[in-house]
Amino acid sequence: MPTSARLSDDVYSRLKEDILSASLKSDERLYETTVAESFGGSRTPVREALLRLLEEGLLVRQGRAYVVSRISVSEMIDIYRVRQNLECLSASIAAETITDAELSELRGMIEAMRTAAGRRDGSAFNLLDSEFHLAIAKSTGNEVLMGILTKLHERVLLVRNSVERFLSRLENANQEHEAIYNAIRRRQSTIAVAEMNSHIQSTIESLKASGIDLVEINER
């Protein structure tokens, strides 16, 4: 039987993966007792895991239940606006610091996203999309920037994987990734910033045009 600390980590990792992949959907309820039963452990490590997810904003508390968070369009736009500034900073620095090995990694992600887009596999594309942006942030060597963007991308994934509408943007988004990659590869910092800014602004405009609470689409 796993130790209490290990069980807590296992529960945290599994539930977080299920939330971000939309296996657990917005407003779904979790209870300490049922989660403990499913993992074959006691309630204490399960409570610790649920509280970690609560602190990260992936769950909210309603009485005894822990409920998967719901994110509105307005909150998503706010997240993207914060991302817009930070991702542009990331692209600017990356154009000066990125290594050949890191460029090769980005190239591989773009090809993998092309394959996912061709299969209309939104979940795979979304995960790769976040990995692409975070790989750029990692190449800057700025751990503070990387940490903030990691948390923002988790919030983005919470909605992306629940919204079929995002499928319509897969191919265009990957063309924009290609433009960002090429600017960074050529060490063109100003162009990299412009391409990143345009890329994220396109999603913001798409969100504004939706006019509905995106997380409700999955419930209709």
Side-chain angles (χ1 to χ4, degrees), residues 54 69 103-105 110 114 122 141 146-147 149 168 170 180 193 198:
L54 188 71
S69 295
L103 282 168
S104 179
E105 184 181 6
I110 289 172
R114 181 174 290 113
M146 177 68 175
L149 282 172
S168 64
L170 299 189
I180 294 165
V193 169
S198 176

Side-chain angles (χ1 to χ4, degrees), residues 8-219:
S8 179
D9 288 341
D10 287 347
V11 173
Y12 166 80
S13 297
R14 179 76 64 81
L15 291 179
K16 185 170 186 176
E17 180 180 346
D18 287 346
I19 292 170
L20 295 181
S21 67
S23 295
L24 286 172
K25 305 193 184 304
S26 297
D27 292 338
E28 196 158 339
R29 292 172 175 267
L30 301 173
Y31 295 90
E32 290 176 8
T33 51
T34 54
V35 174
E37 288 171 3
S38 67
F39 280 88
S42 66
R43 290 174 59 182
T44 299
V46 167
R47 184 182 304 116
E48 291 171 353
L50 292 170
L51 288 174
R52 286 172 68 184
L53 295 168
L54 188 71
E55 290 173 0
E56 293 179 6
L58 298 178
L59 297 175
V60 295
R61 195 73 184 267
Q62 291 183 8
R64 293 180 181 234
Y66 295 82
V67 184
V68 178
S69 295
R70 166 183 291 269
I71 300 181
S72 66
V73 167
S74 61
E75 185 178 351
M76 276 294 287
I77 291 172
D78 287 344
I79 290 170
Y80 270 91
R81 281 177 173 152
V82 173
R83 267 192 65 200
Q84 192 168 24
N85 289 298
L86 294 176
E87 298 271 16
C88 286
L89 174 61
S90 178
S92 175
I93 299 172
E96 300 174 359
T97 62
I98 199 163
T99 65
D100 289 343
E102 288 167 334
L103 282 168
S104 179
E105 184 181 6
L106 292 180
R107 180 75 258 169
M109 290 176 184
I110 289 172
E111 295 305 322
M113 280 186 278
R114 181 174 290 113
T115 299
R119 296 197 311 263
R120 308 293 286 170
D121 187 345
S123 293
F125 186 98
N126 290 336
L127 182 58
L128 287 162
D129 182 292
S130 284
E131 289 178 355
F132 175 82
H133 284 276
L134 292 176
I136 293 173
K138 184 179 179 181
S139 76
T140 69
N142 188 319
E143 294 183 5
V144 174
L145 180 61
M146 177 68 175
I148 295 171
L149 282 172
T150 296
K151 295 300 181 186
L152 290 174
H153 275 275
E154 287 176 355
R155 299 291 285 172
V156 168
L157 279 172
L158 184 62
V159 168
R160 272 181 173 172
N161 284 333
S162 297
V163 183
E164 188 174 350
R165 189 194 64 80
F166 277 106
L167 287 172
S168 64
R169 262 209 32 95
L170 299 189
E171 291 183 3
N172 286 343
N174 210 35
Q175 290 173 4
E176 293 161 10
H177 291 151
E178 184 94 39
I180 294 165
Y181 164 81
N182 284 331
I184 292 174
R185 177 176 58 84
R186 293 168 183 152
R187 312 289 176 179
Q188 297 172 320
S189 178
T190 302
I191 296 175
V193 169
E195 295 291 358
M196 182 68 80
N197 185 70
S198 176
H199 170 56
I200 296 179
Q201 186 63 36
S202 293
T203 301
I204 291 174
E205 294 305 319
S206 179
L207 287 169
K208 287 180 179 178
S210 69
I212 56 174
D213 188 346
L214 297 182
V215 294
E216 292 181 353
I217 292 177
N218 219 36
E219 302 166 1

